[in-house]
Every structure is written in C-alpha cells, then in structure tokens.
Amino acid sequence: MAASSDPTVRAKVAAALRSIGGSEDQDVHWHGAEAIAALPAGEAEPLIDIVDGWLGRDTRLAHSSAVHTILENLVKGGRPEAALSLFGSLYRIVAEGGRATTLFGQHMFEHFLPLDVRVCAVRLGSDLVRQLCQMLDVALRIERRVSDDPPGDYSHHMSRTISEHGTKHGIVDALVGEIVRSARLIATAHPDRLEAVVTEISKYPSRLFTRLRLHVLSLNPAAAPALATSNLDDTGLIGETWCNVEYGELAAAWFDRLPEETRTRILSAVDKVPSKYELSWQERFQKSAGREPNDEERAAFRASVLREVQWRWRQVLPKDRQEEVERHGDPDAWLNELNESDVSPADAAHLANLLVDEIVSFLTDWRPSPQAEKVTVTALGQQLRQAAEQNAAAFSEEAAKFSSVPAIYIRRIIEGLTTVVRNKTAVDWKGILALTKTLVSRVGPTGNEGEGHDADWSWACKAAIELISVGLQLGKEGIGFGLEAEVQAQVISFYESSSPADSESFEENYRRQVYFAATSTSRGAALELCIQLIFWLSKNPETAVGKDPGNALVALPEIKSILDAEIARSGADGRVPRAVIGRYLGWLRYFAADFVEANAHNFFETSDPQLREALWLSHVQMGTGPLAGLATEMSDCYRHEIRRLAENVPGADRDHLTEKFTHYLVILYIVDALPEDVRAQFWNDAPVEARRTAMWFLGTQLAQLEEEMRLRAQSYWDRRLLAASEPSAQRTVFQKEIGAIGQFYYQQGLDPDWLMQQTIAASNAGYGPGQTCHLVDRIAKFSSSLPHRAVETISTLIKNRHLEMMELGVRSQDLRTILVAGLSNGDTQAVANVVDAINFLAAAGDTSCLDLLPKATE
C-alpha cells in the first residue's frame, strides 16, 4: 500500500504509521520502516520523528535495509534536514562503560557508515561533515582521548592512517575514514565547497582533527589556497611527529606552488627541527653508550631527523635537499613490509563468474605458498563471501556442492547468503538447506590445518543457524512454504547437537547483555531457532500451527519437549535458555499461553536469582512489550527493578534498561494492569530521572491512543500533577517529571486544548516545561484555531517565575503570531491576557511587542 500510486492510499498508510509510532514491538518497527521506505520522500519526511524514536528503542532496526533506503530517498528527494536528522539518530554515539558504542552490532557500524556517506556526501555537503565531526569529537571524549578537565589530547594515537581506504577497526577509525571520503566526494563534485568542509573540521582543536584538516587540504589545495598555505607555514606543525605524514601529503601537493619567500621560511623552520630533539637524544645516547656522542654521530642524528621530516614531500624539495634525503632511504621501509595487506588468489568478481564446480575444485586444491606469504586463506574467504552476495542464485542453488570444501569457506559462503536473505533477495532455499543439513552432525576439529582456517566446526554451524533464523523471521517472504518437514528436522537436529558453553568470552558478554550472550552460544541460537520455527509455521495457513496458532505446541510436541527440558536446567547452565525465552515471552504468550502460565512461578518467582534475572532482563531489554496478563505474576520482578533503578545491573545497560522498564510501567498503567502497590512504589521511590522518562513516554502514547485509553493515560498525568500541587510537595522532587510536559509539544496528534490547559495548570502549580525548544512555535500554530487558549498559555508562561524568557526559546515572530491571534479573536479575556503579557515583557525589558497594544491601553 505504501508503494501505491494513489496518494489517498499512501495518506492512509502514513496515518496508520503515525498511530503506531509509539509501539515497543520491534516487528512493528521493522515493517513500519519498510513501509516508510516505500513512500515518496515528501510523504516520508513528516514520519522521520517516528523512525528516530524507533531507533532509540530498537537494537535491530539500524541493520534494516529499509532505514538506509529511507535515508537515500530523503537525500535524493531533496529533504536535507530530515536526512541529517535520520543520519544523526542512526549513527549516534553513546557511552557505555566508558566506551563509545552505537546502535550497530560488532563491526556493522564500520560496514554501513561508508555506504550511507557515499549516498549523502555530495547532496548534504559540509552539513554532513559537520555531523560526522561532532560524532568523532563525542567518541574521542567518551573514551577520554580528549578531555578538558584535566586537559589532555591523545587523539592522534587513535588512527595511524588518515584515509578512507582499508579495513576500519572501531568507531573512531570508521568516522575518520568517512570524514575523508565525504570531503573527497564533495571537493570532486564542488571544489568551491572544500573551504567550508575544512572550516567544519577546523572547529575542533584536537590533534586528530588537525591531521584530518591537513589530509583533506592535500586532496585539492588549489580549492582553498589560503588555508593550504597557512597550514604549511604553521611552525607549530613543522616537524611534529604526530602529524608528519599528513603535513608531508599537503607539502607534496602545494609546496612548489608557494611564493619563494614562504618556501624559504618553511625550509628554515625544517632545519631547526633537529635542535628540538637533540638534547633528549643526547641524554638517551649517554645512558646507552656511557659517553658523549661524537661529531659524526651528531651529524647522523640530524640527517635522520631531517629525512623523517622531509621524506614524504622530497619530490618538491630543491634538488640538493632531495638527494640528501634520498641518500638515507625510506624511514618506514621496515614498517611497510609488516603492514602489507593480505591478498586473495582470486577476487570476488572472478569467483562470481565461475561455475560452482570450478569454484569447489579451486577451493579444494588451492594452498597458500610459503613464497607468497600475503596470499592468504583469510583474504580468499572474504572474496568468496562477496562472490556469494554477487551471484546468490547460483551459490544457493548448488550450495550442497560446497559441503566438501574447508570449513572457513563454507562459513564465508553462508555469511554472504545471509546478507542476501536479509535484503529479501530471492535465493534457492532447497539448495541452501541441502548445505546446512551437512553441517548438523559436524562437531569438533575441522582437520583443516594452517593459518586462517577454522579450527572447529562451531563457527560454520552458528553461521548456518543464523541463515536459517533470518529465513524464518521473514515469514512468508523467507524460506518457502513446502519445506516445512526439512526445516523442522534441521532445527531440531541443530538443537540436539548444540552446546551451552561454546562461546568465547561468554561471561564477559553476559555481564554486558544477557540475550546477546545467550544467543552467541550454539545452544541459545538453536533454542531461538525453535521459537522462530513456530512463528514461521504460523504464517502458513496450511500447517497445523497456521490453523490454530494459539495452540502451537500441541502441534509441535518435539519443540514442547525442548522448551520443557531447557527450563528444567538449573544454575549457570539455566541462564542461556531463560535469556532466550525472555526475549520471546510475548510470542510464547500468544503461541503457547498454557506453557507460559504453567511456568509463571518458575519464571518469575524462582528462588534462584540468576535464573529469574536472565529471563527478566531479556524480557525488558529485548522483549516486544509488557505482558498485561502476567503483570500480577511478575509484580515481584517489577518491585525489585524499582528498588535498584539507581544501580548498575550486570547484564544490562542501565540507561536502556531504565527507559524500557519505565515504558513497560506506563503501558501497564494505561491498560489498567499495573498492580497498585507497584504503581505507588514507582511514584514514591523511583529516582526522578526514571519518573521523567516515564512521563516523556506517556506523551508519545497520548498522541496515538483511542479515546478510552487516552483518558486512562491522561489520568496518569492528572494524578502526578495533583501530587506535585500538594502544599507539602517539594518542587525539586517534581520539576523534572512535571516539566516533561514540554516534551509533549514534540508529539503530533495530541489534543492542543488539553495540552495547553495542562501547561497552564503546571505553571500555576509552580512548574515550568523542561523541554522548550518547540513549545512557542507549536503554541503559535495552535493560536489559529484556539487563540484564547494560546494567549492564556503564553501569558501564564511569561509570568512563571521559574522560567526565563530566553529559556522558552521565544522567536519574536512566533510570539507576535500568538498575541495578534488573541487580539483578533475579540474575546475580552483574550485581549486582557495579551495586554498583560505585553506589559509584563516590557517591564522585563522586552519592548518588541509594545506596538501591538490596543490604542486605548497605551
């Protein structure tokens, strides 16, 4: 429907998406993003705030091709502001345990970022560079590579090579590469914009940004000649080891274009560089040799320093200098040998065009040569993965033929096919399942010896499980119906051959996030596969599960036995299955309500805290929402979480856990399923930040609920405002929570009259809106239909002693719009409020609206 040529149909789609914008269900996010991706850019733009919100709650959505398609559509459709907003939400950097992290899984930030930068760079220009630079600065400060208190700058150690090319390792390295890439793309398309790009980079004084500035200028110094010259002539950069490479790049590109006077001055500064280091070198020499260096040794030291400084731009030096530098040879010759990239004996394009039989023969026969150390198994595996992506039809149709090749190659082929399936490209599932079937019974050592080979079969088996998992999650768009018997047999076989203890660093990962740690084991991944099988079968109305999805386990007794066996596990081994079940508790509640209800006490009230914690944390962090029907059974878990809202929790990110937990509480309140004592405990004992987060979420729900539920949601606000208005209430305890009403103004769909009435009531109780960025402009928009209420609201806020006018973010035109609407209304009280507001502003020193006063009152 979203792709319909009928704008009326698309408008209904947009309205439906707006109505579900606050959903916690990750499947809603996933499919909602796909719908938005199908809309024209102009119709998708108003929905970007929904996608931004989903990205804040959904750890999977960043990997969806739909989100990246939305970004591309916005860019190509001429919607730069919306594109930048989505880009910022998608790639935002957050702190976790003193480390910079993103929404993406390991290495996936580095994978997706270049793809989107290529799409965005030319059209977004220096605005994109500004955003990338902001992200890089945030990452550096999170990881304490740059700090103001105490002052410190270790950023230049974060990235050895300033380049867009090569494999990127980590967030900082990826951002550095994409700042360079975006600068190059912009400068190539619009050379006159390079100066604006360099200006954005130059806003940050840390050394890594200085290196970036020098490198970017070297791409086309003629496009910013004054900047190129001033940077080369900066004596603070000449001879500095931390930026020597980038200075050399710029000098090689621009030095010979400089005036003679400037070149002479730079060379004079170069000749002084050895003196900066000579004293410390002499001290080291004396300590090592036990004597003073002689004249020959001093000369050798000076020559070595000058070679280091000038080597990368020797070709533009005067001939005598060039010959002297080259006489001593390349200072990095030893390092170049170490850093030479691995090479594949065949590239992806070549492999993709071979017959499968030819590929199998090559993979079986080829061996690395001792005479060509850089031609490696690892590099071949990477190219094979890309080849599988490029020719998925052939690789999937004849996948079984690959079963005889070494495990590393099987794994890479499966990984390539997984990428294709994620993107919903057609593959031959019968062929794929023929290959995965051969992996079920393969355990232990692979027998493939040598560097780069997989030592055992566990990696290939996990890759096969992930491929099947992706196919099951796609429902009818994934694995084709008609293969039910084979799929079910393999799912059960993978489970039977799985192990709960085959994940490296399991305990460390478990302390960070219980669900991802659990599914990193073959046992957890296989159990997840069993649950996903139920979902996939339910999408086929011809299966027993599809005909009666609420009793799925009756039709799947083997899956029921597996689930029973897993929840019977105790101690540390029991954490893995419960962390998986917690993620899918909502699904199981639908497909197997009897199973969940029969085990409710075992799940939520077990005496073993580690088992309860595994299920609970996974349910809150990764679940699709709270379970109203089990709220009473889970009340102890809710009480326990409220008590520790201010504590760090092993196995969870505290901020994310708090956000999701408060959302669950608000949803349960709205559907009238939250036990009253739990509600009271949260309101009375929870930290103010948690209560504010709950109130922010309430605003998103008020904007989309039907009348009955909306009235229930409004009662949450009413009860909190009533408590905050009590004479004994401490304003500091309630300000952030009640002040969250400012955030409500971001929401489309809220009743504006109700919203402004509540703002007035909160202000009269002594509270100001905490988020004021969009408040006045939204009130200005409301003033066309509700002038009297808009004037009353702005007048009340202006006189609120807890707010400064600057804090309101008032734009004079918006303010005048409200006041003019009040005067035009003709309502006596509205006019009185306008006069009152203008006089109050004038008394405070703002006379910009005095011309609006009715003549009789002047």
Side-chain angles (χ1 to χ4, degrees):
M1 292 177 66
S4 171
S5 60
D6 186 344
T8 305
V9 173
R10 298 198 303 270
K12 291 180 179 179
V13 171
L17 288 167
R18 177 66 65 186
S19 71
I20 60 172
S23 172
E24 292 288 321
D25 191 318
Q26 294 185 359
D27 292 329
V28 169
H29 302 172
W30 194 272
H31 296 299
E34 291 175 340
I36 295 173
L39 292 171
E43 296 171 22
E45 183 177 22
L47 302 173
I48 296 307
D49 62 313
I50 295 177
V51 183
D52 290 342
W54 288 344
L55 286 168
R57 303 193 292 270
D58 190 336
T59 55
R60 295 187 308 144
L61 193 59
H63 299 87
S64 167
S65 60
V67 176
H68 303 275
T69 300
I70 295 170
L71 179 61
E72 181 175 1
N73 292 345
L74 291 171
V75 170
K76 294 181 177 178
R79 300 296 193 277
E81 291 185 6
L84 285 166
S85 173
L86 179 57
F87 188 94
S89 297
L90 180 59
Y91 289 104
R92 66 178 175 272
I93 312 297
V94 296
E96 181 180 316
R99 297 176 58 194
T101 61
T102 71
L103 300 178
F104 294 88
Q106 189 175 21
H107 305 312
M108 297 310 293
F109 180 88
E110 301 95 306
H111 169 74
F112 281 106
L113 183 61
L115 303 178
D116 286 335
V117 165
R118 288 187 180 96
V119 170
C120 296
V122 174
R123 288 180 171 88
L124 299 185
S126 59
D127 289 335
L128 176 64
V129 176
R130 179 188 307 120
Q131 193 154 53
L132 289 168
C133 288
Q134 290 172 348
M135 293 159 59
L136 177 57
D137 184 61
V138 168
L140 292 172
R141 292 179 181 278
I142 288 173
E143 301 197 351
R144 302 291 291 173
R145 302 295 179 170
V146 175
S147 64
D148 298 323
D149 184 20
D153 183 358
Y154 310 99
S155 62
H156 55 292
H157 296 305
M158 294 289 288
S159 185
R160 176 171 177 79
T161 304
I162 302 294
S163 170
E164 65 187 277
H165 304 296
T167 303
K168 301 303 177 184
H169 301 285
I171 294 170
V172 168
D173 214 19
L175 287 170
V176 167
E178 295 319 303
I179 291 172
V180 172
R181 188 191 310 278
S182 57
R184 178 183 59 78
L185 292 171
I186 293 166
T188 300
H190 305 287
D192 57 312
R193 298 180 185 176
L194 180 64
E195 189 167 338
V197 169
V198 175
T199 299
E200 293 299 335
I201 298 171
S202 301
K203 290 178 180 179
Y204 300 89
S206 57
R207 288 178 169 182
L208 184 55
F209 281 98
T210 301
R211 293 177 61 197
L212 271 166
R213 183 179 75 232
L214 292 170
H215 178 79
V216 168
L217 280 169
S218 74
L219 300 176
N220 187 3
L227 287 173
T229 299
S230 63
N231 276 270
L232 283 182
D233 201 18
D234 186 344
T235 56
L237 300 178
I238 296 172
E240 289 295 327
T241 56
W242 56 269
C243 64
N244 192 41
V245 172
E246 294 74 34
Y247 184 93
E249 292 171 342
L250 180 56
W254 192 242
F255 180 80
D256 59 352
R257 304 279 295 276
L258 296 174
E260 178 66 29
E261 178 185 356
T262 306
R263 295 202 302 269
T264 301
R265 186 166 56 246
I266 291 173
L267 292 176
S268 176
V270 168
D271 289 339
K272 295 175 183 177
V273 171
S275 301
K276 293 168 58 176
Y277 303 107
E278 190 164 5
L279 181 59
S280 59
W281 168 77
Q282 183 174 312
E283 291 174 351
R284 292 195 302 273
F285 186 94
Q286 288 174 331
K287 186 174 181 179
S288 175
R291 62 176 176 82
E292 292 279 339
N294 57 37
D295 291 344
E296 183 180 347
E297 289 162 339
R298 290 179 187 278
F301 166 75
R302 290 181 59 83
S304 175
V305 173
L306 290 173
R307 176 192 63 171
E308 184 77 32
V309 174
Q310 300 173 104
W311 178 261
R312 290 171 180 81
W313 48 293
R314 64 193 185 281
Q315 67 272 28
V316 296
L317 291 172
K319 190 169 184 60
D320 58 334
R321 278 183 177 262
Q322 182 178 345
E323 290 175 351
E324 177 63 18
V325 169
E326 291 180 340
R327 186 169 67 85
H328 295 280
D330 185 353
D332 289 335
W334 64 275
L335 188 59
N336 293 335
E337 292 184 12
L338 292 177
N339 288 339
E340 186 180 351
S341 300
D342 287 356
V343 177
S344 172
D347 64 24
H350 173 68
L351 291 167
N353 287 317
L354 292 177
L355 297 175
V356 168
D357 287 330
E358 293 174 326
I359 301 172
V360 171
S361 178
F362 174 71
L363 296 177
T364 302
D365 296 340
W366 182 78
R367 298 289 184 276
S369 169
Q371 286 73 43
E373 294 181 356
K374 292 297 181 179
V375 182
T376 65
V377 168
T378 302
L380 175 55
Q382 291 292 351
Q383 293 300 306
L384 192 59
R385 174 176 178 164
Q386 293 178 33
E389 295 177 18
Q390 294 172 19
N391 192 5
F395 273 70
S396 61
E397 182 180 0
E398 300 185 78
K401 293 182 178 180
F402 292 111
S403 63
S404 62
V405 305
I408 176 63
Y409 303 140
I410 297 176
R411 173 160 66 91
R412 291 306 188 194
I413 290 168
I414 290 175
E415 289 170 350
L417 292 174
T418 301
T419 300
V420 172
V421 172
R422 286 190 194 280
N423 292 330
K424 297 185 178 179
T425 301
V427 294
D428 188 316
W429 275 104
K430 187 175 181 180
I432 289 174
L433 291 171
L435 173 61
T436 57
K437 183 177 182 179
T438 67
L439 296 173
V440 171
S441 59
R442 292 184 173 181
V443 295
T446 61
N448 306 132
E449 298 180 356
E451 186 175 352
H453 280 289
D454 287 351
D456 60 59
W457 285 101
S458 63
W459 288 100
C461 288
K462 287 177 185 176
I465 290 174
E466 182 179 5
L467 174 53
I468 296 173
S469 172
V470 173
L472 294 176
Q473 290 177 61
L474 292 174
K476 63 181 180 180
E477 296 181 89
I479 301 174
F481 296 146
L483 297 171
E484 289 86 356
E486 180 60 32
V487 172
Q488 185 170 337
Q490 287 196 31
V491 167
I492 293 172
S493 295
F494 272 118
Y495 169 78
E496 291 173 345
S497 63
S498 66
S499 167
D502 56 359
S503 172
E504 297 178 8
S505 307
F506 171 79
E507 293 298 338
E508 179 182 349
N509 293 333
Y510 190 85
R511 285 191 293 271
R512 295 184 62 192
Q513 221 277 3
V514 297
Y515 166 76
F516 290 125
T519 53
S520 71
T521 68
S522 62
R523 174 66 52 77
L527 179 60
E528 183 175 48
L529 211 56
C530 292
I531 298 172
Q532 290 167 343
L533 173 68
I534 302 173
F535 168 80
W536 178 69
L537 290 171
S538 74
K539 297 301 179 181
N540 183 356
E542 300 302 316
T543 65
V545 176
K547 293 175 181 177
D548 186 11
N551 291 296
L553 294 186
V554 174
L556 298 169
E558 289 176 292
I559 301 298
K560 171 67 162 57
S561 297
I562 289 171
L563 290 170
D564 287 339
E566 288 302 311
I567 63 174
R569 296 183 187 276
S570 60
D573 285 349
R575 296 175 299 173
V576 168
R578 292 187 186 236
V580 173
I581 289 172
R583 158 70 176 88
Y584 293 100
L585 204 54
W587 281 18
L588 291 173
R589 174 72 171 162
Y590 174 74
F591 291 119
D594 291 346
F595 169 80
V596 174
E597 290 171 6
N599 288 284
H601 184 275
N602 183 11
F603 286 161
F604 313 121
E605 300 176 61
T606 175
S607 59
D608 189 335
Q610 62 180 336
L611 297 182
R612 182 178 64 248
E613 195 83 328
L615 189 141
W616 166 253
L617 290 177
S618 182
H619 168 61
V620 176
Q621 292 183 107
M622 300 300 299
T624 55
L627 301 178
L630 292 174
T632 301
E633 289 84 347
M634 300 174 76
S635 59
D636 282 347
C637 294
Y638 280 97
R639 294 187 193 96
H640 177 64
E641 196 60 53
I642 293 170
R643 287 194 295 271
R644 65 175 184 180
L645 273 170
E647 303 173 9
N648 287 324
V649 179
D653 168 22
R654 179 69 268 178
D655 291 340
H656 180 243
L657 179 61
T658 297
E659 181 182 30
K660 289 291 296 289
F661 176 67
T662 56
H663 293 180
Y664 278 27
L665 288 173
V666 170
I667 292 170
L668 290 175
Y669 178 92
I670 292 172
V671 300
D672 201 15
L674 185 67
E676 189 65 18
D677 65 311
V678 175
R679 188 273 312 158
Q681 182 187 356
F682 179 69
W683 284 356
N684 295 333
D685 301 339
V688 65
E689 288 77 11
R691 290 186 281 114
R692 176 178 60 181
T693 300
M695 194 65 81
W696 282 344
F697 180 69
L698 180 73
T700 68
Q701 301 306 293
L702 284 166
Q704 57 189 291
L705 294 171
E706 297 297 330
E707 183 175 3
E708 182 179 352
M709 288 292 99
R710 186 173 66 251
L711 292 173
R712 174 69 182 169
Q714 287 175 354
S715 75
Y716 185 107
W717 163 264
D718 293 338
R719 295 174 71 175
R720 297 311 292 148
L721 180 59
L722 180 63
S725 303
E726 292 290 337
S728 59
Q730 297 182 26
R731 182 179 174 277
T732 54
V733 173
F734 285 96
Q735 170 53 45
K736 289 183 178 179
E737 183 181 7
I738 301 302
I741 194 171
Q743 190 81 7
F744 290 11
Y745 283 83
Y746 284 87
Q747 305 301 323
Q748 302 287 337
L750 269 172
D751 177 4
D753 193 33
W754 179 87
L755 180 57
M756 289 189 287
Q757 286 187 58
Q758 301 314 309
T759 304
I760 294 168
S763 185
N764 289 337
Y767 301 96
Q771 295 284 335
T772 57
C773 179
H774 286 291
L775 191 146
V776 176
D777 63 325
R778 290 299 306 280
I779 295 176
K781 291 178 181 177
F782 297 157
S783 67
S784 61
S785 58
L786 295 166
H788 63 292
R789 189 74 70 205
V791 168
E792 182 185 5
T793 305
I794 202 67
S795 177
T796 303
L797 290 173
I798 287 172
K799 293 182 288 185
N800 188 329
R801 64 186 179 87
H802 298 293
L803 282 175
E804 297 289 340
M805 283 305 295
M806 288 299 293
E807 185 181 340
L808 283 173
V810 171
R811 292 195 295 250
S812 59
Q813 187 55 51
D814 289 328
L815 181 59
R816 291 178 69 87
T817 297
I818 298 168
L819 299 178
V820 168
L823 292 171
S824 303
N825 182 50
D827 181 86
T828 304
Q829 185 58 52
V831 172
N833 283 332
V834 170
V835 172
D836 201 20
I838 293 173
N839 288 335
F840 195 92
L841 287 170
D846 183 350
T847 60
S848 61
C849 296
L850 281 175
D851 61 301
L852 297 179
L853 280 174
K855 299 297 182 181
T857 65
E858 290 183 339

